[in-house]
Amino acid sequence: MEWTGESVKTVLSLSLSGTVVIVTLLCLRPLYKKRLSESWQYYIWLVAVIRMLLPLSFGQGIYGGMFQESGWEAGQEMAVMENLPVSREQPGQYGSGAGTPDAASGAGTQAAEKPVPWPRGIWRYAWLLWLVTALLLFVRKVTVWQCFMKYLAAGSEAVDDIDRLEQFGKLAEGSRIRRPVGLYTNRLLASPVLAGVLRPRVVLCTMQLPDTDFCYIVRHELVHYRRKDMYYKWLVQLALCIHWFNPLVYLMEREINRACELACDEAVVKYLGPKDRRAYGDTLLRTVCAGGNYGNPALPVTLCESGRLLKERLGAIMNMKKRSVATVFMMIVLSVVISGGALSAGAYTSGNRPHSGDDMVRSISGRKKRSSYDAEYASFGITRAQGAYFYGGRRVRILMDIREDQSFENMFYDKKGKVSVRLSRGSDGAVMRVEKIRKKEADAMAADLKETGQDMREAPGPDMKNADTQKAEAVIKNIADQKGGGSDASARVVRLEKADLPARVKKAVASCGKGVWYVIEAGSRRYIYYDGLPANYAFVPQGGADGITVAVSDMGRTKAGYVLLAAGKHKPLTVLYNGTPVSYKERSVK
């Protein structure tokens, strides 16, 4: 359900952003219609088309952020909260080792068996409705285009007039076209057409044309080919299929078709005098009146798509003027402004996040980057903006994301937050349950975090996994030490590197084999060692009257490494790896 809802929201945000561009272009049209070139007026619509197809933006953008911070996800969060069981955990049981009771996993499984709440489940139906309709529209357009091409091929005849073919070749060479383009006739066509993607060809209604008309018609169609208008039209059709629910997309399609013909006319008559322009206009009139009755679908590009455009095209041909330097400068400025505005409108994506200096939220595990959590958390009503998490519209103070083995997937602390949240994952790694942490328990956690002097939001950037992990581990270790060991120094456990070891212990470690857990006794300390760990790790020590328990957990895939911890030796020692007790070999160094 998660990615289906994300898809719908992405499409809706793209549609809103594209609508802003369409409305802007339509409102500005009276100002630039007679001042800027027809080609510019044609290609500027690409900004709207691309805006509706690609989720590109500067950060969140206006509409990308709206889907992150509005009530869309708050509604999902409320639905989740109404169906979640109440946590039975006690204050202080929040660590990543045995401090979180096993009941959390059971409760998470129980919650997962409940039906998906209606406000969240509706995204699945919205996604299916959108997808089915979009696919049906696209299949229909492809089918209509294929049928037209078959009918066109069935009724077309290759031109074998040597003089016409030679004249056609010279026109193609003058248009700087290197690829072969075919020349055919089809008496059923309503107007000349450029058809074919892999095998392009110009199809005329008849060859009984004056040389002037033949020249103008062919040049017009070759301009369509040189500018790749066929691909442009396919992009428009793709945008129309994706945003079929947006009425302005159909208006955009009509405006692009109109601008396409005007831009092509401009390219043909650009270097013609008034007399030749009038001759080109006469060719348009004769072409409209001389065609057959077979209508053309939207995808092939034609000389006269509609008689409604004829008056506008004739007027534009006769009134066309050479553009000044100031006009060219204005077109460049407008292009930059409109394109920048389209990007600023933004689009919702699961990976969207602001890139401010305050955006330093880090996970303990380092297993995934921040953006990987966004979509997963969003389906449970947890969103992120401006470097902070939000839950039900309230800023998150503490976020604890706990795996099934009771190790941390993610940990976040923000002293400015107002609400604390715990997420529990199942055996497949998916979030099974979200619940609020009681204020009393959250206050205890916050006090411990303050005592360590650590603020998770001040950790290094996303690529500094080692430094970040060590800081996070320090927070967890200190908390666990204070909760489990109290003032008992024998319960303290310290992480070391091999270079930190005394010479005699270093020698003993060097003789240890890979893939075996060791506890090496030296003086008043015991050293826990394991070589060949396929991941970075975190550890949580817990001391009590019965002994010391050290829980070691994987913290994201890295190159093979080793575990090296130092602990007191006056209490029995239990070592857990990913929640399972391990057997270790004991050695003594004098």
Side-chain angles (χ1 to χ4, degrees):
M1 189 284 298
E2 171 190 318
W3 70 273
T4 60
E6 297 299 306
S7 300
V8 173
K9 286 184 278 187
T10 298
V11 171
L12 289 176
S13 66
L14 287 173
S15 193
L16 283 173
S17 297
T19 297
V20 171
V21 180
I22 295 172
V23 172
T24 301
L25 291 175
L26 291 176
C27 292
L28 293 177
R29 183 183 166 193
L31 300 177
Y32 64 67
K33 182 178 179 181
K34 295 183 179 180
R35 293 179 175 85
L36 306 184
S37 74
E38 302 293 350
S39 295
W40 182 89
Q41 296 182 48
Y42 172 49
Y43 287 113
I44 195 62
W45 282 102
L46 266 175
V47 177
V49 176
I50 294 174
R51 173 69 282 172
M52 303 189 97
L53 293 177
L54 300 179
L56 302 174
S57 60
F58 296 130
Q60 296 262 16
I62 299 172
Y63 294 104
M66 183 183 74
F67 283 85
Q68 286 276 15
E69 299 175 7
S70 68
W72 289 67
E73 290 167 348
Q76 293 183 20
E77 179 269 333
M78 292 303 295
V80 173
M81 289 303 300
E82 290 172 1
N83 289 273
L84 290 179
V86 178
S87 172
R88 301 299 179 189
E89 299 182 22
Q90 299 300 320
Q93 294 179 323
Y94 56 89
S96 67
T100 305
D102 294 337
S105 299
T109 306
Q110 182 181 357
E113 294 173 353
K114 293 190 176 184
V116 177
W118 180 82
R120 293 176 57 217
I122 194 175
W123 287 112
R124 181 180 289 109
Y125 302 109
W127 175 77
L128 287 174
L129 174 63
W130 164 75
L131 181 63
V132 170
T133 306
L135 288 176
L136 288 176
L137 281 174
F138 185 75
V139 170
R140 179 182 179 276
K141 289 183 179 295
V142 172
T143 303
V144 169
W145 177 73
Q146 288 178 333
C147 290
F148 173 78
M149 296 302 293
K150 289 180 180 179
Y151 285 123
L152 187 65
S156 297
E157 297 178 359
V159 175
D160 55 5
D161 188 319
I162 301 299
D163 293 335
R164 288 298 193 195
L165 290 175
E166 184 178 354
Q167 187 179 8
F168 181 77
K170 290 180 179 179
L171 291 170
E173 185 178 355
S175 299
R176 302 187 302 277
I177 293 176
R178 301 290 182 265
R179 185 179 175 183
V181 179
L183 180 63
Y184 294 81
T185 60
N186 191 322
R187 299 181 183 278
L188 298 177
L189 284 178
S191 65
V193 62
L194 172 70
V197 176
L198 299 178
R199 293 184 298 169
R201 52 194 178 275
V202 175
V203 185
L204 307 176
C205 303
T206 177
M207 284 304 299
Q208 306 302 318
L209 296 170
D211 289 346
T212 303
D213 287 0
F214 177 81
C215 177
Y216 288 142
I217 291 172
V218 169
R219 286 180 63 185
H220 182 101
E221 300 304 332
L222 291 177
V223 169
H224 280 308
Y225 174 73
R226 189 179 73 244
R227 293 188 172 187
K228 309 301 180 186
D229 289 336
M230 178 71 74
Y231 299 102
Y232 192 167
K233 288 203 169 189
W234 270 111
L235 281 179
V236 175
Q237 297 305 311
L238 181 60
L240 191 149
C241 293
I242 293 175
H243 301 279
W244 53 265
F245 52 85
N246 188 340
L248 286 179
V249 178
Y250 301 90
L251 181 58
M252 178 184 73
E253 179 196 24
R254 190 186 70 184
E255 289 297 316
I256 290 175
N257 289 338
R258 180 193 64 82
C260 178
E261 294 305 317
L262 291 170
C264 198
D265 291 339
E266 180 185 58
V268 173
V269 304
K270 186 174 183 180
Y271 301 106
L272 299 181
K275 184 178 179 180
D276 292 329
R277 291 183 183 183
R278 185 179 297 275
Y280 179 71
D282 292 338
T283 298
L284 294 183
L285 289 170
R286 286 192 290 271
T287 303
V288 171
C289 299
N293 297 321
Y294 192 86
N296 302 320
L299 289 173
V301 283
T302 67
L303 179 66
C304 297
E305 291 196 6
S306 172
R308 295 175 298 177
L309 296 178
L310 189 56
K311 182 178 179 180
E312 183 179 3
R313 293 175 66 184
L314 292 174
I317 290 169
M318 299 310 299
N319 297 323
M320 194 170 297
K321 299 177 182 179
K322 186 177 180 180
R323 308 300 172 184
S324 65
V325 175
T327 303
V328 174
F329 179 75
M330 185 183 299
M331 289 189 291
I332 294 174
V333 171
L334 274 177
S335 299
V336 172
V337 171
I338 293 173
S339 300
L343 286 173
S344 299
Y348 174 87
T349 60
S350 60
N352 258 355
R353 63 186 184 275
H355 296 279
S356 64
D358 192 41
D359 185 22
M360 295 296 181
V361 182
R362 296 299 302 136
S363 69
I364 290 178
S365 70
R367 176 176 296 178
K368 297 189 287 188
K369 291 186 177 181
R370 296 188 304 270
S371 59
S372 302
Y373 293 110
D374 289 353
E376 188 175 24
Y377 289 172
S379 63
F380 289 89
I382 301 173
T383 59
R384 185 163 54 82
Q386 301 302 322
Y389 283 108
F390 291 86
Y391 188 57
R394 302 175 66 191
R395 190 164 179 156
V396 172
R397 182 185 186 189
I398 297 173
L399 183 145
M400 300 177 64
D401 187 346
I402 304 174
R403 304 179 189 134
E404 187 185 38
D405 62 2
Q406 309 309 316
S407 62
F408 277 112
E409 174 73 20
N410 190 17
M411 174 72 174
F412 174 86
Y413 170 63
D414 181 0
K415 59 187 177 183
K416 296 180 181 179
K418 303 298 181 184
V419 62
S420 298
V421 189
R422 179 187 290 109
L423 297 90
S424 300
R425 295 178 179 269
S427 57
D428 60 353
V431 176
M432 305 293 291
R433 182 180 64 155
V434 178
E435 61 187 346
K436 289 184 179 179
I437 300 174
R438 296 188 185 96
K439 187 177 184 303
K440 184 176 180 181
E441 183 180 356
D443 288 342
M445 295 184 200
D448 289 324
L449 288 167
K450 288 179 182 178
E451 287 178 14
T452 63
Q454 301 287 344
D455 185 344
M456 298 300 294
R457 297 183 68 243
E458 296 175 356
D463 297 325
M464 299 180 66
K465 292 183 179 179
N466 292 336
D468 168 57
T469 301
Q470 289 171 6
K471 276 195 173 185
E473 288 169 359
V475 175
I476 300 174
K477 183 178 75 62
N478 290 336
I479 292 173
D481 285 349
Q482 294 167 16
K483 290 296 178 183
S487 59
D488 186 356
S490 66
R492 301 290 183 181
V493 179
V494 181
R495 177 173 181 164
L496 300 174
E497 300 295 331
K498 290 181 180 179
D500 302 327
L501 294 172
R504 54 179 180 165
V505 179
K506 190 182 297 184
K507 185 176 180 180
V509 165
S511 66
C512 293
K514 283 192 174 183
V516 180
W517 288 89
Y518 293 90
V519 173
I520 303 171
E521 233 180 75
S524 61
R525 308 185 81 182
R526 284 177 294 186
Y527 297 89
I528 303 169
Y529 177 69
Y530 180 88
D531 190 12
L533 196 72
N536 200 350
Y537 71 95
F539 67 96
V540 176
Q542 291 187 321
D546 298 331
I548 304 172
T549 297
V550 179
V552 179
S553 297
D554 285 347
M555 299 293 287
R557 294 293 168 186
T558 60
K559 294 181 180 179
Y562 59 87
V563 176
L564 184 55
L565 304 170
K569 74 170 188 177
H570 301 300
K571 288 186 178 183
L573 175 65
T574 300
V575 179
L576 304 177
Y577 178 58
N578 288 336
T580 303
V582 301
S583 298
Y584 54 80
K585 293 184 177 180
E586 293 184 286
R587 287 189 176 183
S588 179
V589 177
K590 295 182 180 179

